[in-house]
Amino acid sequence: MTHVLVTGGAGFIGSHVVRALREAGQDVTVADIGHPAAHRAPPPPVVAGAPVRQVDVRDGSAVGALLSGVDVVVHQAAMVGLGADLDDLPEYVGCNDLGTATVLAAMARAGTSRLVLASSMVVYGEGRYACHRHGEVRPAPRAAADLTAGRFEAPCPDCADPLTPGLITEDAPLDPRSVYAATKVAQEHLSAAWARQTGGSVVTLRYHNVYGPGMPRDTPYSGVAAIFRSALAAGRAPRVFEDGGQRRDFVHVHDVAAANLAAVTTTGRGPGWRAYNIASGHPATIGEMAAELSRATGGPDPEVTGEFRLGDVRHVVACPARAEAELGFRAVIGLSDGVAGFAHAPLRA
């Protein structure tokens, strides 16, 4: 049996990870401060039978006190999403980057040598693109004037011709385009430096668009699926930004929990740092997700608004082959089945 400390284990993804670990027979301790961006009440005393310690990951002494006998830390604790505005910037950096640095320092002191880090597809910025003239290119951030005019597709940076999106792999350059994305890149770099200096092992899981039961509702820090679901629960049409053609990989939270279990239990990994896309392998557009939810709930059709957020990117679609080859993880829940269950599952208050 492996003793696992799950930070953020009372949150949306974290609670599913805890349940998957417990069902696999692992010994689990949960640390969760109950941050108001994710919780509107204090965390529960237990999650799936695992005790919850109300600990801020920025408190090194408190984290250190939990590490006795711990074999693996599964670090889920973070502020997510684009947030409300730039007033959130210090809290994002504090929770995500200072919090991660504090956990890593405590692990080094305790001699805990294995980390599973929850990262995100946002580290890539825009996804992978090819120009028919110039081959593979990295488009610049989309200009506000283009977005206002309804020109949502990223053009070739060399000739301005339309681009063809493709599958992005873990070796792609990192190009964060929001505050949240910048903090996730920093988490990755900090953990890689820790692995080099300590000889520890880091498995970094780059989640794509996670959805499923227990998502927070009615909050700017939640994912688009929960925002759509909250609107439908209130009898409103989901409001789809841009033209709804943004391509993503929507991956069910049960699959994400299975990926974390695989990262904890996979044997034979030596020291070092390695990243994995955690994705379904079956992309869909934002508009298609909204339409699936509307159909599944019997609610109003989505409203395509043309609105935009400068921190958003156009297309990010993953290649999940490395996770299957090295972790033995493959997502099994398709979008239609996943949305059918999510449409009527409870959301987190």
Side-chain angles (χ1 to χ4, degrees):
M1 182 189 297
T2 303
H3 187 183
V4 185
L5 172 64
V6 182
T7 70
F12 163 49
I13 297 175
S15 60
H16 288 278
V17 172
V18 170
R19 184 167 292 104
L21 290 167
R22 291 278 295 169
E23 289 175 352
Q26 307 300 329
D27 181 16
V28 181
T29 301
V30 175
D32 199 306
I33 190 59
H35 195 285
H39 303 267
R40 292 181 182 170
V46 296
V47 172
V52 177
R53 312 300 186 204
Q54 196 164 349
V55 167
D56 190 330
V57 293
R58 293 168 287 191
D59 183 340
S61 297
V63 173
L66 299 179
L67 286 172
S68 177
V70 166
D71 303 296
V72 186
V73 174
V74 176
H75 187 35
Q76 303 286 326
M79 281 185 68
V80 302
L82 287 182
D85 52 43
L86 285 176
D87 284 341
D88 283 332
L89 199 159
E91 192 69 3
Y92 270 103
V93 173
C95 290
N96 297 2
D97 299 339
L98 176 59
T100 298
T102 303
V103 168
L104 293 170
M107 290 176 66
R109 290 193 298 271
T112 305
S113 62
R114 294 180 59 201
L115 175 72
V116 177
L117 174 67
S119 188
S120 171
M121 57 91 176
V122 297
V123 300
Y124 297 122
E126 288 285 352
R128 184 178 183 182
Y129 291 86
C131 172
H132 67 101
R133 295 184 185 180
H134 299 100
E136 190 167 327
V137 296
R138 296 286 296 172
R142 296 179 296 166
D146 287 336
L147 296 170
T148 301
R151 296 187 292 270
F152 300 121
E153 295 293 342
C156 175
D158 297 318
C159 66
D161 279 359
L163 297 174
T164 301
L167 299 180
I168 198 157
T169 67
E170 294 87 348
D171 296 325
L174 305 187
D175 186 15
R177 298 192 176 186
S178 69
V179 168
Y180 171 56
T183 66
K184 299 310 283 186
V185 171
Q187 284 184 305
E188 292 198 5
H189 288 325
L190 289 167
S191 64
W194 173 88
R196 286 192 297 271
Q197 189 162 342
T198 65
S201 170
V202 180
V203 175
T204 295
L205 304 180
R206 291 176 178 164
Y207 302 156
H208 285 252
N209 284 65
V210 185
Y211 73 99
M215 290 188 84
R217 68 167 183 254
D218 300 325
T219 166
Y221 304 96
S222 191
V224 67
I227 293 170
F228 292 161
R229 171 69 202 288
S230 296
L232 288 162
R236 302 190 307 271
R239 292 174 58 82
V240 178
F241 281 14
E242 301 185 20
D243 60 358
Q246 310 94 300
R247 295 174 76 238
R248 298 290 189 269
D249 190 308
F250 291 96
V251 58
H252 196 277
V253 69
H254 291 170
D255 282 326
V256 171
N260 278 270
L261 176 61
V264 168
T265 58
T266 297
T267 58
R269 273 199 54 82
W273 185 97
R274 189 78 160 156
Y276 299 90
N277 284 326
I278 303 303
S280 74
H282 300 284
T285 67
I286 299 286
E288 287 167 346
M289 165 57 92
E292 286 272 5
L293 271 172
S294 291
R295 281 192 294 270
T297 60
D301 290 339
E303 177 188 352
V304 179
T305 69
E307 297 172 84
F308 62 88
R309 299 182 299 183
L310 278 177
D312 282 337
V313 296
R314 183 61 176 173
H315 304 298
V316 187
V317 178
C319 175
R322 180 187 288 181
E324 183 171 3
E326 298 183 13
L327 299 180
F329 165 74
R330 183 176 184 179
V332 297
I333 301 175
L335 186 64
S336 294
D337 289 341
V339 168
F342 174 56
H344 302 286
L347 297 180
R348 182 184 300 269

